[in-house]
Amino acid sequence: MSRLNAPEYGDVPAHVRNTLDKVGMQFGFVPNMFATLASNPAVLDVVMTLQGSLARVLDARTRHTIALAVSEANGCDYCLAVHSYVSSELGGMSSDDIDLARAGSSIDPKRAAVARFAQQVVESRGRVSDADLAAVRGAGYTDPQILAIVTVAVQALLTNFINNVNQTDIDIPAASPVGTQG
């Protein structure tokens, strides 16, 4: 059971209901994470603004790959469920590629380098090695793109931390353990 309280839809300000309505249109319902964030409109705005801004920094599959790799490394079951669902249903990623992303890889060699690098960012708390940087550069990423990779990883960590603290009830099909059919 979630540990933080989500307000009732009718109890939040109109601008928050508007934001929740937009999220609901995307998913077909308002996921528990967003309903909980509605209790603090400023935090909801930060998360939504960050997600909107980061949608422009890398292609969708690369962003999904990062989110899956980071959520797996950080052990966030809620985010794994959401990102697996979004990657599959909205992002067109295969279940094999989703599993690989969670394991720090990809069917695409360039995205595999991103997944490994994103997991290294998490595991090293940002203190990646020169070899880690060389590997992601060797896959063809520029320094501005590396900044984007780190920022997308940190955005995933933000929601991982929120959902891990909350123990958010999973209201979307749960992600299967890597390597199993769900």
Side-chain angles (χ1 to χ4, degrees):
M1 180 169 186
S2 295
R3 300 190 300 178
L4 303 175
N5 295 316
E8 293 296 324
Y9 179 83
D11 293 340
V12 298
H15 73 281
V16 172
R17 285 194 302 271
N18 184 48
T19 299
L20 293 177
D21 290 345
K22 288 177 184 174
V23 169
M25 286 174 41
Q26 181 182 4
F27 284 92
F29 69 102
V30 176
N32 285 335
M33 179 186 81
F34 294 99
T36 301
L37 291 176
S39 70
N40 187 323
V43 173
L44 176 63
D45 185 54
V46 164
V47 170
M48 296 303 295
T49 300
L50 190 56
Q51 287 180 347
S53 295
L54 292 178
R56 299 186 308 263
V57 300
L58 297 164
D59 69 90
R61 285 191 181 188
T62 300
R63 292 189 322 272
H64 294 319
T65 298
I66 294 166
L68 288 160
V70 168
S71 296
E72 183 72 32
N74 204 39
C76 183
D77 293 336
Y78 188 85
C79 292
L80 283 170
V82 169
H83 291 298
S84 293
Y85 175 82
V86 169
S87 297
S88 172
E89 300 302 315
L90 305 176
M93 287 176 68
S94 70
S95 59
D96 287 342
D97 205 17
I98 290 168
D99 283 354
L100 286 168
R102 290 177 59 188
S105 191
S106 173
I107 58 174
D108 176 80
K110 191 169 180 177
R111 280 191 285 122
V114 165
R116 280 190 299 278
F117 184 73
Q119 285 187 334
Q120 276 306 115
V121 168
V122 172
E123 291 167 4
S124 71
R125 294 186 221 160
R127 291 179 168 85
V128 296
S129 69
D130 290 341
D132 295 326
L133 276 173
V136 77
R137 283 181 177 134
Y141 288 97
T142 64
D143 288 357
Q145 290 171 318
I146 293 169
L147 290 172
I149 294 164
V150 172
T151 305
V152 171
V154 170
Q155 186 272 326
L157 279 174
L158 170 64
T159 56
N160 287 176
F161 286 3
I162 288 168
N163 288 299
N164 282 345
V165 166
N166 186 32
Q167 295 178 1
T168 308
D169 290 332
I170 298 174
D171 55 348
I172 201 159
S176 301
V178 173
T180 64
Q181 294 297 324

